[in-house]
Amino acid sequence: MAKPMAARTFLKLLEDEGLSVEEVGDWRDHHRNAAGPWGPVHGVMIHHTATEGARRTVEICREGRTGLPGPLCHGVITKDGKVHLVGYGRANHAGLGDDEVLRAVIAERALPPENEAQADGNRHFYGFECENRGDGDDDWPEEQLDAIARAAAALCRHHGWSARSVIGHLEWQPGKTDPRGFTMKSLRERVAERLK
């Protein structure tokens, strides 16, 4: 069980990991905390945006869309490997997911198949939305994959988590496919390598 770190610590960890970071507006105070608590945090969730174009993607993730107010994550990782901080606190990114998956993340053991949706993921996960159409044809540039691994590793290192605390939305909520185009196994291997 971990208390969410301060926003300034979040920013510093990402920069110390060698990431290029852009602070978007009042990201430190942009959150959905009125909708429920944030924390304790147990892991990092990775998504694809199902959008195209960095500027539009960042705007959607910050402002939200019809029926789902922003922020939709904490950071947006664009194809150039830049991390755009759009919110901090509770964010509308994970939704309801499988409580058995949550228990596995907390215990840092292999994930069971997701088949229920009753645990509040927005409360328990840091979230990174990654610019990609999510159609299986849109490529994932190396600089973007490296940035995703660096961002996840920075948070894991701070909280003393292993790479098993990094999950994809598709491993959390039935019916989700993101991130599509690389495997979470390969991403966790990258994270584990950075944590050595």
Side-chain angles (χ1 to χ4, degrees):
M1 182 160 22
K3 181 179 177 182
M5 68 187 83
R8 67 181 174 278
T9 305
F10 184 72
L11 171 61
K12 184 176 188 314
L13 289 173
L14 296 175
E15 291 176 334
D16 288 352
E17 200 69 30
L19 289 160
S20 173
V21 181
E22 178 185 342
E23 300 179 71
V24 181
D26 62 344
W27 71 273
R28 296 168 194 250
D29 299 310
H30 187 50
H31 50 68
R32 299 283 300 147
N33 291 358
W38 188 44
V41 288
H42 300 299
V44 181
M45 190 173 292
I46 306 300
H47 308 261
H48 68 235
T49 58
T51 61
E52 195 166 23
R55 186 176 191 178
R56 177 173 174 264
T57 296
V58 171
E59 182 180 314
I60 290 169
C61 290
R62 176 174 166 71
E63 301 303 328
R65 57 181 191 269
T66 304
L68 191 65
L72 304 184
C73 59
H74 300 103
V76 181
I77 303 176
T78 48
K79 287 196 176 278
D80 59 2
K82 182 177 282 188
V83 181
H84 306 258
L85 301 182
V86 296
Y88 203 68
R90 185 181 177 94
N92 278 334
H93 72 99
L96 296 176
D98 196 308
D99 61 343
E100 291 180 13
V101 172
L102 181 60
R103 285 194 291 275
V105 170
I106 293 169
E108 296 200 311
R109 56 181 164 77
L111 299 177
E114 83 296 336
N115 59 14
E116 299 177 312
Q118 73 281 6
D120 181 2
N122 294 335
R123 176 179 185 177
H124 295 301
F125 289 94
Y126 295 101
F128 289 98
E129 286 279 0
C130 307
E131 178 194 354
N132 191 278
R133 291 192 311 266
D135 58 9
D137 293 324
D138 197 6
D139 71 326
W140 291 91
E142 175 56 31
E143 55 264 43
Q144 187 179 28
L145 291 172
D146 181 63
I148 296 166
R150 285 174 183 265
L155 303 187
C156 288
R157 189 179 297 109
H158 174 82
H159 286 298
W161 298 332
S162 78
R164 286 190 178 227
S165 290
V166 181
I167 70 171
H169 201 193
L170 76 170
E171 297 173 306
W172 171 247
Q173 192 176 75
K176 294 297 181 182
T177 63
D178 56 315
R180 187 172 180 197
F182 64 87
T183 67
M184 287 307 299
K185 179 179 183 291
S186 68
L187 178 62
R188 283 189 282 267
E189 287 170 355
R190 285 176 179 256
V191 173
E193 188 61 32
R194 293 205 63 81
L195 292 174
K196 282 184 181 177

